[in-house]
Every structure is written in C-alpha cells, then in structure tokens.
Amino acid sequence: MVSPVFVGREAELGTLSEAFEQARKQAAAAVLLGGEAGGGKTRLVTRFAEDAACTGAHVLVGGCVELSTEGLAYAPFTAALRQLVKEMGATEVAALLPDGAARDLARLLPEFGEPSGDKETETGRARLFEQFLTLLERLAERQSVILVIEDIHWADRSSRDLIAFLSRNLRTAPVLMIMTYRSDELHRQHPLRPVLAELSRLEGVVRLDLPRLSESEVAAQIAGIKGDVPEFALVKKVYQRSEGIPLFVEALMEREDDCSVPESLQDLIIGSVERLPEETQRVLRIAAAGGNRVGHELLASVTDLSDVDLENALRPAIAGNVIQVADGRAYVFRHSLIREAVHDEMLPGEHNRIHARFAEEIDRDRGLVPPGRAAIEIAHHWFSARDHLWALISAWEASGKAAKAFAYTEQIQLLERVLSLWDRVPDAPERIGVDHTTVLELASEAAVISGDTDRGLKFVKGALAELDETTHAERVAQLLVRRAQLKSDKGRRGGLDDLRYAERLVPVPGPARVQVLTRLSSWLMFINETVEGTELTREALRIAREIGDLCQEAELLTNLALGQSLEGDLEATLLTNERAMEIGKSVRSGRIVLRAMANNVDALNNLGRSEQAVRLALDGEAKSRKYGRYRVSGAFMANNRAEALEALGRWDEAVEAIEQALASGPIPRIRGHLLRVRGDVAAARGEVDLLERILIEVGALHGGELSEFAQEWMTNTRLLIEFRLLRGEPVDALKATEHILSISTTPHSSKPMLGWRSLAQSRLVCEAAAIAAPEIAAAVRAKADSLAPGMTSDGPIADAYRLMSRGEFDEAAAAWGRLGRPHPRARSLTQAAAAVARTGDRDGASVRLREAYPIAHALGARPLLTEIEALARRVGTTLAAVSIEGGENGLAGATRNGLAGVGHSGSAGAGPGASAGTGLNGTVLADLTPRELEVLRLVAQGRSNRDIAGELFISAKTVSVHVSNILGKLGVSTRGEAAAAAHRLSLLA
C-alpha cells in the first residue's frame, strides 16, 4: 500500500528548491541526499523532479545497482544517456559534442557508433569524463538540467570518480546534481565515505540528511493509505513499530488485519509477498535474482512461461504493489529492500539454478539486457551460481569489455576474480587462451592507468615471480618499466634501477628496446642527467625511424626537447617540439600534440617571450578540451600558462588559472606543479600560512628524501627558502640554500627558471644571513660562484638572473624591465639601492627605491614593500603615500575560490617576518633610534641583555626596555624574529 498523499518533507523540498535556484543562476550545485533504506529518498526526489520539470527543467535520471559493485561501470550515466537518446535521438546528442567526441560515448551506448580507435588508454577515461561534462554543459545552454543519480552507495569506482569530477567541474552551467544514498549502509570502510567527505568540501554542494517521519506525519501517511482519519491507537502502534520509516509504515498497513507482530524486518517486508499465490511467489523469486529491474522477455525466457502465463503470474504482485511496470517492457520492484527480502527466501539449490538460467539465457540472446551489460550480467550470474568454470570464463570476457569502456578499476576486480578461480579450473589457460602471468600483466597495466599503485605493485611482483628473464626478457623488461612507473607514482625510489635493468634485458634494436629507452631517457632527463638521457633518446630515435614507428618517434622528440630545455638550449627546444607536433598531427595523436605544445609554452616563458607563451597555452587548453584531455594535458598546459602569468606579474590571472586546473582533479604530479606556482605567488605576496600549507602538501617542509626529479626538488627547495625568509629565519634559509647547491649527485640545471633563478636567490639569502652566519654565508656564496661558469646562459632570462647572482643589480633591473617582468625588476632595484646605500650613496639609493616602490605596490608584493619602506627610512628618503588593499588580491579570495584543498590560511603577511616594518593596520612604524639600532645589532649576534648592558655601559633593565620597544616597532614577538627581520630589512648594514 502506497499513500497517494505526499507527506511532510517541506524543509527538504525547500532545500532542493534553493539548490536548483542556485544552479539556475549559473552556479552549478549538487545535493547529497542521505537516508535510511525505506526512508523515502526516491519519493522525495521524484516529487521535486516532477515539480521542476513543470517549470522547464530537463530531468535526467540514472541509478546504481548492486551489480555495479561487481564491475558494471558507469551504470547511472549509461541510464541517463539512454534516456537522453530516447528523448532526442543519438544524432542530436552527438551534435552537442565536438567533432568525433561522441565516439567515446559509444563505449557506453552503441547508438553512438563504433568506439574511437584511440589506443592511448592512459587518457581514455579522462576523455570520457570530459565528453560527459561537455554534454551536460551543452544541454544546460538550452534549459536547466537536473541529473538524479540514485543509490550511489552501490556505485562502482568509475561512477564515483565521474561523480566527483562533475561536482568539481560543473562550476557555472545551470546543472543540479542530486545523489541519493543509504546512510545506514556506510560502514567505516565503505568506499563512498571518502567521496562524500571530498564532495562536502566543495562550494555549491549541500549535504541533506532525510529524517524519519514524526508521529503526526505517520498519521497523515496512514490517512492517505486508508482514505480517512485513522484511530489514535493504530497510529501509535504503527509509529512505534515502524519508527517513522515510510516503507515500514506501508508494510505494517498491509498487515493491519494480522494481529501478529513480525519478529524481524525480513518478516515485515516479506509479509506482503507471502499472501500472494504460490506461482506468483515463484516468479518473484526468479525476478529477484535478475536484479531490481528485469525485462519481460528475459524473465519469460528464464521462467519458461509464455507471455500470457507470465503476465497472469505477475498480475497479483503488480496489484499488491510489490512490483511495478516500467518503461521498455520491464518490471521493477517497488523498493530494493523488497527485492533483497525475496531473493533471500531462495533455497541454496534454487539460488544456484536460477542464476545459472539467467546466465544461459543472456548468453543465448544478449539483446535480452540493455546494450553493453551482457558480459557483466553473465559474469555476475555465473559467479552467483557458483559455477567456477563459467564464472572464470565470463569474468575474463567481462574484464575485456570493462577495459574498452575505460573502466579500469572494474577491469581489475574482474581479473582478480579470474585469478581467484584459477586453481579451481584445471584447464584455465586453455579455456581463456592466456596464461596466469598474462592475467597478472593485464591487471598491473590497469592498475597503472587507474592509479592503484599498491595493487599494481602486487600484480607486477606476482608476474615477475612467474617469469624467467632468460626466456621472457621482453616481458620482464616491460614489467620492470611498469614497476618503475608505480614506484614513481607512490613516491618511492628505485625506479631508475628498474629501468636500467630493463634496458640491459633488451639489447637488440627493436620495439621492446625503444619502449624501454623512451621511459629510461625521459627519467634521466627529469633527474637532470641530460647527457646520458640525450644519448639514449637519440639511439631510440634511430631505432624508431628504422621500424617506422611514428608515434614513438614523436614521443622521443619530446624527450629530446626536454633535455635541450634543461640544458638551456631553448631555441633548439622550440624546433624539436615543433617537429614532434607535426608528427603528432599526422598520426592524429592529441596527446603528443598537446605535450609538445605544453613544452613550448615552458620554453617560450624561459626565453622571456611570456606573452607569446600565454597565447600558445590558451590555444593548447582549448585543443585539450576538444580532444577530451583537459584533466591531464590541459591541466599541465594551464600550469605552464600560470607560470608565464606569474612571471609577468599578472598574479590574479595566474591564481585563477591554477584554481580552474585544480578544480578539474588533475593527477597528483600535475597538482603538485600547480601548487608550486601558487606557492610562488604566495611567497611574493607574503601569504605565509598558505605557502606553509602548500609546502606541506608537496612534501618540502619537514625534510625527508628529495624527489628524484630536478624540477620538483629544486622548486620545492626554492619555495622553502622563501618561506624561511618570510618567517624571519635567514640562517635556516641559508642552510637550505647550502643544501641545494651542494648536491653533487645531480648537476645544477641551466634552465633559466630553475638553475639560474636559484643562483640569484642564493645571493639574496647570503646577504640576509651574513651577520648571523658570516662563514657559512661566504662558503655558500663561493659555491654559487663556482657553479655559474659551468652553466649555459642561453637567452635574456638566464642573462638577467646571472646579473643578479653576480650582484650587478642595476643591469639586472634594466634587463627585467625590457622583459616586462615587474617583480624581479623591483627586487633588483631594491638590492641595487641597498648596495649603493652601503657605500654611502643615499641619493642613489633613494632614486632606485622610488622606482621600485610603485612597482611593488601595484603587484601587492607586501614583503618587498616592507623592505623598500625600511630601507627608505634608513637612507632618509620619502616614498609616495600608497596603501595596499586586501580582498581578491589577498589570501581570502584564493582560499574561497578553490585552494581549500590546500588548507585555509590567515591574512596575508601574517608571518613574523612578513609583518616586520608595518603594523597590523598597515601604517608605517616609527624609525628605530640610534641606541635601539645598537641594541638590535647585538641582539642579532645572540647576545643576552646582561652582555649588551656591559657592551653599551647601560643597565640590563634599560636593555630590556630597548628590546621591548624594538619588538613593538618591528611588529615581531621574539628576539630571534627581530634579528631575522633586521637582517632581511638591511637594518644592520
């Protein structure tokens, strides 16, 4: 019995309506609707969707099924697509996507033609996600869209990932996603729990818990069922027994004339079924084995009933509202709890026979189930029938189907089933046509693609244990390459050793050697071993050209360009990437085209052609969306664009680009690159807390093992040095500088924005720490000077940094001015002012400071402004009266707009060093008196109050008063912070 009256839920309907209004205002929204089984989630969503459809919304509905946990990937999205095709036609749906993009959707629905022949599986799933995102955005341009996904507690891994992707990336389109789940089934290890936690942190996502009905609402529900006002005693009895769960209220009302009280929930739910005719119950048990929804033709085939006999058998169940007739000649249980209860009533033998019948009938006619589901349905039923032979065979077939749909996590689950059944099927290799090792190899490949490093390493280990390298050298080499990748993904060392061993296993020129050399040479480039990396790349190029492998040739050209970039040969880098790009276009490889473009964006920025780099990056990002590769190639392109924008001083634009790329959920390594660029902006603005959180995430703050890759460890260390300086810890910054310059196992990069930038920074650090640690500072300076002659200076960026590292600050400032890079220009002017001030040229210092000050102010570079102001007071010059406004240029806007994953931080310049020289209200503090400068100089040397009193012939109490005044004027809280601020602000020079 179902109440025709919708009871209660006014507040919940209001929440859904508010979320929809938000979506309509071009700000996508999502609602996570949780509630107990039988709590009325579907009824609530259906009511809301019906009302929204009346106002012009386009409602798409898809549901997860229990079968999803066994490998049925993308079930809710396939259902929504099927609905869309039914409404609009496949041709019109395809017209909403970029040319050829609908072929990716063919992996979910055959109506879209043949799937794309693109074999670049590592980005295939990302493309599929991009196409679905684009489809929703295009639909929403016509009318607001509501996408309902029910029962996500059953969602497969691929569906969960796509849900998270859409939630992050549907930012402005008028789309409302509503996802329902059983809150009472989320045990501590349930895979949905971390997804819900992640989604709940996103802007625009509302988490809505559906409460049980109150006693008065239960009374209204009963009144709707009975058609009149119920007696108080009945309401009381039903409310107490149902505890306010709507489904249980309905079940109890069906038993109103039965005086007995069910002993369990199972008895309560099954009660309505037990009163049906025996033949009806038999057919319902068979239907329950088919899932919550089963087609008429399939059920007729499994039951061996004619259409008329099947309809007669089901008619009582339909009349009793146990099952309902759905679109497409299918039957649906009114609630999944009813299906579960009926299924549990089957005897063991009956259970096995019925599931075997389903498997046989679907295998006989695969059109009995929706397109794309036959293989996994067959695998599910044979496994449920406990038939080991056919369970293994069907799982093997279904794993191949999962791989073609880019459902790699589900492929792994099915391959693990094959492995678990292997020993129970004596002739398993003959049955599926491959050996046990091949299954492990395929599982390891899927694990690499899906990012499941732990399982991937387990599969590789198992496969290697079964192979003899003397007879299967190429297979072993391929596994070693894969293990190197998995170790890198997990942040473990040892990958290079695996690659070198693999290279020794395949000495003969051929495809296998090319593949190993491609990965090995790339790895060597990234650790700055560019000479060997280039040599191996050229060898692999010769082989690739001999065997006519154009894709491999283009891949190797991008490796060669990487080495040229790290060596500082940037003009050659541009030409090599252009060649790779042309080949990529000829073989229609979007991945290669985009990689070459991204590399050239970086090269242009390092050559000082940053405006051109920005334009090329925007073109590349547009292409990445067209190719459906934004999460990988596009996000990397956006990172390189952000680097160029940061260099140009267009920091707000850089932050916006970073936030957009982070919102797409890029792979961990690209996320790290993006965060490092954001760290550069944070350091320049004085956003100390944010910089600290970024350093923690990229693993740079608390020591530990350096990354093997030069670009990562050098940038991490450079940001750590900036952090130490902002915190007023010049000695710690000096130690980090000493470390980066003394690593003898990895040559210093000649790339302008890496090696030369670090050398320029080292001079700044040595000057800041000269008084506190003069001997170490001198040694570090000497080390930096010794490295410079061995580095290539190719281009104006390298030249400008070289000038800074040599102390030729005026020349450097002029160079930065010509390049249009305001922050290093203002920095060079400030260092030049400090240098001439030390010679007594106050007028010269004043001229430089007055030029630097408006630049730093326009940028919002608080730490540099503080230095300029302090130095101006020392030389006795005045600066234009300007103030720095907070808001979007500060940290608040950054965390609000997408860096919440890094963690919230305090106000800009909140660190001790950052505030030195200005008060909390931004006003300049009074100058230190000559006596206070004398005291501060001795404090910086680590002298105690008693020592200072003896040195200056004053009392210790007077020293204490001076120290208190100094701390207040510098805006710091400790003697160490005061000393650090003094060094950084050149107060002791």
Side-chain angles (χ1 to χ4, degrees):
M1 296 183 181
V2 178
S3 172
V5 179
F6 186 80
V7 176
R9 311 308 193 196
E10 288 85 2
E12 290 75 21
L13 279 173
T15 300
L16 291 172
S17 297
E18 290 174 7
F20 187 40
E21 281 304 307
Q22 175 184 329
R24 282 177 142 170
K25 295 174 181 176
Q26 301 294 309
V31 176
L32 300 169
L33 177 60
E36 297 170 284
K41 299 181 294 296
T42 299
R43 186 80 184 271
L44 170 64
V45 172
T46 301
R47 171 62 178 271
F48 168 74
E50 289 171 350
D51 292 345
C54 291
T55 65
H58 190 171
V59 180
L60 299 173
V61 181
C64 304
V65 295
E66 282 187 280
L67 194 59
S68 296
T69 60
E70 294 189 33
L72 180 59
Y74 306 115
F77 298 99
T78 301
L81 269 179
R82 188 173 292 113
Q83 175 192 335
L84 197 57
V85 168
K86 184 177 179 180
E87 294 172 351
M88 301 172 57
T91 302
E92 188 175 350
V93 174
L96 296 172
L97 297 169
D99 292 342
R103 295 179 65 193
D104 282 326
L105 297 183
R107 298 177 186 275
L108 302 183
L109 277 186
E111 287 89 335
F112 291 106
E114 285 295 317
S116 61
D118 192 344
K119 296 181 180 179
E120 294 176 351
T121 54
E122 73 279 6
T123 56
R125 195 175 78 142
R127 286 202 315 278
L128 183 61
F129 284 18
E130 289 284 344
Q131 310 305 7
F132 212 94
L133 172 66
T134 301
L135 179 59
L136 288 176
E137 290 174 336
R138 297 295 176 268
L139 284 171
E141 290 174 359
R142 301 180 171 193
Q143 61 189 120
S144 300
V145 174
I146 296 175
L147 175 61
V148 178
I149 305 176
E150 294 200 82
D151 299 320
I152 61 172
H153 54 278
W154 285 330
D156 57 284
R157 165 70 183 276
S158 294
S159 291
R160 293 196 301 270
D161 290 347
L162 182 48
I163 287 169
F165 172 79
L166 294 174
S167 299
R168 288 191 300 264
N169 289 278
L170 280 168
R171 298 168 69 90
T172 57
V175 177
L176 172 64
M177 292 176 59
I178 303 175
M179 295 154 280
T180 72
Y181 62 94
R182 289 186 188 175
S183 54
D184 51 333
E185 289 202 4
L186 299 188
H187 53 79
R188 294 185 64 182
Q189 301 302 317
H190 197 288
L192 184 62
R193 290 180 72 93
V195 178
L196 292 176
E198 176 192 350
L199 297 182
S200 298
R201 291 192 293 266
L202 297 177
E203 184 179 3
V205 175
V206 177
R207 197 159 176 174
L208 179 60
D209 294 317
L210 194 62
R212 296 179 177 184
L213 297 178
S214 65
E215 186 171 339
S216 61
E217 289 170 335
V218 167
Q221 184 182 6
I222 295 172
I225 293 172
K226 290 175 64 67
D228 57 19
V229 179
E231 297 177 357
F232 175 77
L234 175 62
V235 172
K236 198 74 173 176
K237 174 185 174 183
V238 172
Y239 177 69
Q240 289 176 348
R241 184 60 182 144
S242 69
E243 297 183 339
I245 297 177
L247 179 67
F248 299 167
V249 172
E250 295 170 356
L252 286 166
M253 289 305 299
E254 290 173 354
R255 303 174 60 100
E256 183 184 357
D257 297 331
D258 187 349
C259 296
S260 63
V261 178
E263 294 182 359
S264 66
L265 173 59
Q266 171 83 7
D267 294 336
L268 174 62
I269 295 176
I270 207 68
S272 59
V273 177
E274 290 177 336
R275 290 193 291 273
L276 297 173
E278 181 57 39
E279 176 64 3
T280 301
Q281 293 186 49
R282 184 185 76 85
V283 173
L284 285 176
R285 289 195 297 274
I286 295 173
N292 210 51
R293 178 190 181 101
V294 60
H296 175 89
E297 289 79 7
L298 176 58
L299 189 56
S301 297
V302 175
T303 58
D304 286 325
L305 294 175
S306 66
D307 289 346
V308 174
D309 289 342
L310 178 59
E311 291 164 357
N312 289 336
L314 288 176
R315 201 174 303 280
I318 295 171
N321 203 29
V322 174
I323 62 172
Q324 300 166 340
V325 179
D327 293 338
R329 284 173 57 82
Y331 304 106
V332 180
F333 282 87
R334 177 163 59 90
H335 198 282
S336 56
L337 285 177
I338 299 174
R339 188 204 70 81
E340 293 165 17
V342 173
H343 188 268
D344 290 345
E345 289 293 300
M346 284 193 291
L347 298 173
E350 181 185 25
H351 174 279
N352 294 352
R353 288 193 304 274
I354 291 174
H355 278 288
R357 285 286 297 145
F358 268 104
E360 291 166 349
E361 290 302 318
I362 296 171
D363 196 22
R364 180 184 59 79
D365 181 2
R366 300 200 170 202
L368 292 173
V369 295
R373 287 184 56 166
I376 187 60
E377 291 265 8
I378 294 168
H380 161 72
H381 287 299
W382 279 126
F383 187 68
S384 298
R386 298 175 177 83
D387 187 312
H388 297 150
L389 170 61
W390 288 105
L392 179 140
I393 294 172
S394 58
W396 171 251
E397 180 193 356
S399 72
K401 298 289 186 182
K404 290 180 179 178
F406 304 134
Y408 302 111
T409 301
E410 292 68 32
Q411 180 192 8
I412 292 172
Q413 291 175 332
L414 291 161
L415 290 174
E416 285 182 324
R417 181 180 295 176
V418 172
L419 294 169
S420 70
L421 293 168
W422 195 269
D423 292 336
R424 301 184 184 187
V425 180
D427 57 346
E430 291 76 19
R431 291 288 185 171
I432 64 174
V434 299
D435 59 16
H436 188 265
T437 309
T438 300
V439 180
L440 287 168
E441 289 171 318
L442 287 171
S444 69
E445 181 184 24
V448 169
I449 298 170
S450 64
D452 195 339
T453 55
D454 290 329
R455 288 160 95 184
L457 287 167
K458 179 186 71 173
F459 295 136
V460 169
K461 181 179 179 181
L464 286 172
E466 296 179 5
L467 291 174
D468 183 349
E469 66 181 52
T470 60
T471 55
H472 297 96
E474 291 188 1
R475 290 176 73 179
V476 172
Q478 187 178 48
L479 285 166
L480 290 172
V481 170
R482 196 165 293 156
R483 187 167 71 180
Q485 179 64 56
L486 288 163
K487 287 179 178 178
S488 174
D489 291 345
K490 196 170 175 59
R492 286 169 47 181
R493 288 182 173 267
L496 182 58
D497 293 336
D498 282 339
L499 292 172
R500 289 195 182 281
Y501 195 85
E503 185 269 333
R504 292 194 293 271
L505 288 174
V506 286
V508 179
R513 182 163 179 80
V514 170
Q515 290 176 6
V516 173
L517 290 182
T518 299
R519 185 63 183 141
L520 174 57
S521 62
S522 173
W523 195 291
L524 290 168
M525 300 296 191
F526 279 119
I527 65 172
N528 218 23
E529 297 286 354
T530 52
V531 174
E532 183 184 4
T534 299
E535 180 183 339
L536 294 177
T537 298
R538 294 190 183 282
E539 178 190 347
L541 267 171
R542 288 194 299 271
I543 301 171
R545 285 165 178 161
E546 287 172 3
I547 63 178
D549 191 336
L550 287 175
C551 282
Q552 206 68 51
E553 179 183 350
E555 185 85 21
L556 286 160
L557 284 172
T558 60
N559 281 0
L560 185 63
L562 173 63
Q564 292 166 336
S565 172
L566 291 169
E567 284 289 312
D569 191 356
L570 298 170
E571 293 293 349
T573 299
L574 292 173
L575 293 175
T576 304
N577 279 321
E578 288 289 345
R579 287 164 55 202
M581 206 180 308
E582 289 303 316
I583 296 175
K585 291 176 182 177
S586 71
V587 297
R588 305 185 70 178
S589 173
R591 180 179 60 84
I592 290 173
V593 170
L594 292 171
R595 182 184 176 192
M597 289 184 73
N599 289 348
N600 270 357
V601 172
D602 179 69
L604 288 169
N605 188 44
N606 276 273
L607 278 168
R609 293 152 63 181
S610 301
E611 294 283 1
Q612 186 180 348
V614 171
R615 291 193 296 271
L616 181 61
L618 288 170
D619 182 31
E621 288 174 66
K623 281 185 169 62
S624 74
R625 289 188 171 91
K626 178 181 177 181
Y627 295 146
R629 298 177 182 274
Y630 185 81
R631 291 182 75 197
V632 180
S633 304
F636 185 60
M637 198 87 65
N639 170 80
N640 289 355
R641 174 164 64 97
E643 287 183 337
L645 291 168
E646 184 273 332
L648 291 167
R650 291 157 61 179
W651 293 346
D652 286 341
E653 293 177 67
V655 170
E656 182 181 4
I658 292 166
E659 289 168 354
Q660 289 176 351
L662 287 174
S664 72
I667 62 175
R669 193 170 182 197
I670 294 178
R671 176 177 172 82
H673 290 328
L674 289 161
L675 291 177
R676 292 181 185 96
V677 182
R678 184 63 182 92
D680 279 323
V681 177
R685 284 177 168 171
E687 297 168 346
V688 183
D689 292 345
L690 176 58
L691 178 57
E692 180 177 18
R693 295 185 185 280
I694 289 173
L695 289 170
I696 290 172
E697 179 166 343
V698 300
L701 189 57
H702 300 301
E705 208 169 35
L706 288 176
S707 167
E708 287 185 276
F709 301 131
Q711 183 163 331
E712 294 173 13
W713 68 258
M714 290 183 74
T715 306
N716 282 356
T717 307
R718 178 171 53 75
L719 288 174
L720 177 62
I721 292 167
E722 293 288 350
F723 175 70
R724 295 302 183 199
L725 291 174
L726 287 172
R727 286 281 299 270
E729 301 165 353
V731 176
D732 288 336
L734 183 64
K735 291 177 180 177
T737 304
E738 181 181 28
H739 186 54
I740 194 174
L741 298 179
S742 64
I743 298 176
S744 58
T745 56
T746 304
H748 217 62
S749 171
S750 293
K751 189 174 182 180
M753 298 296 285
L754 280 180
W756 284 110
R757 190 175 187 178
S758 291
L759 284 194
Q761 183 192 51
S762 71
R763 186 177 191 95
L764 176 68
V765 174
C766 289
E767 290 177 354
I771 295 178
E775 294 181 359
I776 299 176
V780 170
R781 183 69 257 149
K783 177 65 175 178
D785 291 341
S786 71
L787 287 173
M791 295 168 59
T792 304
S793 180
D794 180 18
I797 299 296
D799 289 342
Y801 276 127
R802 179 175 53 80
L803 291 169
M804 290 182 74
S805 70
R806 291 166 53 176
E808 299 175 21
F809 300 121
D810 285 323
E811 293 82 353
W816 291 123
R818 290 191 296 272
L819 289 164
R821 297 201 173 187
H823 190 256
R825 178 187 173 203
R827 159 60 61 196
S828 297
L829 287 168
T830 305
Q831 288 182 272
V836 299
R838 285 192 288 270
T839 67
D841 184 0
R842 291 174 176 263
D843 291 339
S846 298
V847 170
R848 293 166 174 84
L849 292 174
R850 287 174 184 149
E851 185 178 353
Y853 191 64
I855 299 172
H857 170 259
L859 289 169
R862 293 173 182 268
L864 185 55
L865 272 170
T866 303
E867 280 192 57
I868 294 170
E869 290 166 349
L871 187 54
R873 291 195 302 273
R874 282 187 53 224
V875 300
T877 191
T878 57
L879 302 167
V882 293
S883 62
I884 303 175
E885 299 295 333
E888 289 304 308
N889 287 337
L891 180 57
T895 53
R896 181 168 61 252
N897 289 319
L899 279 176
V902 181
H904 296 284
S905 58
S907 59
S915 62
T918 58
L920 295 177
N921 61 1
T923 59
V924 179
L925 296 172
D927 289 342
L928 297 173
T929 66
R931 175 62 85 183
E932 286 168 350
L933 283 171
E934 289 180 312
V935 172
L936 178 57
R937 184 173 294 105
L938 295 171
V939 167
Q941 295 173 11
R943 309 282 287 275
S944 68
N945 284 1
R946 185 182 298 275
D947 291 338
I948 296 171
E951 179 81 16
L952 300 180
F953 303 101
I954 56 178
S955 69
K957 184 176 181 180
T958 301
V959 173
S960 178
V961 172
H962 283 313
V963 170
S964 296
N965 290 339
I966 291 167
L967 297 181
K969 290 182 178 183
L970 292 180
V972 297
S973 56
T974 68
R975 297 164 72 95
E977 291 171 2
H983 292 307
R984 186 172 57 79
L985 301 176
S986 302
L987 297 179
L988 307 180

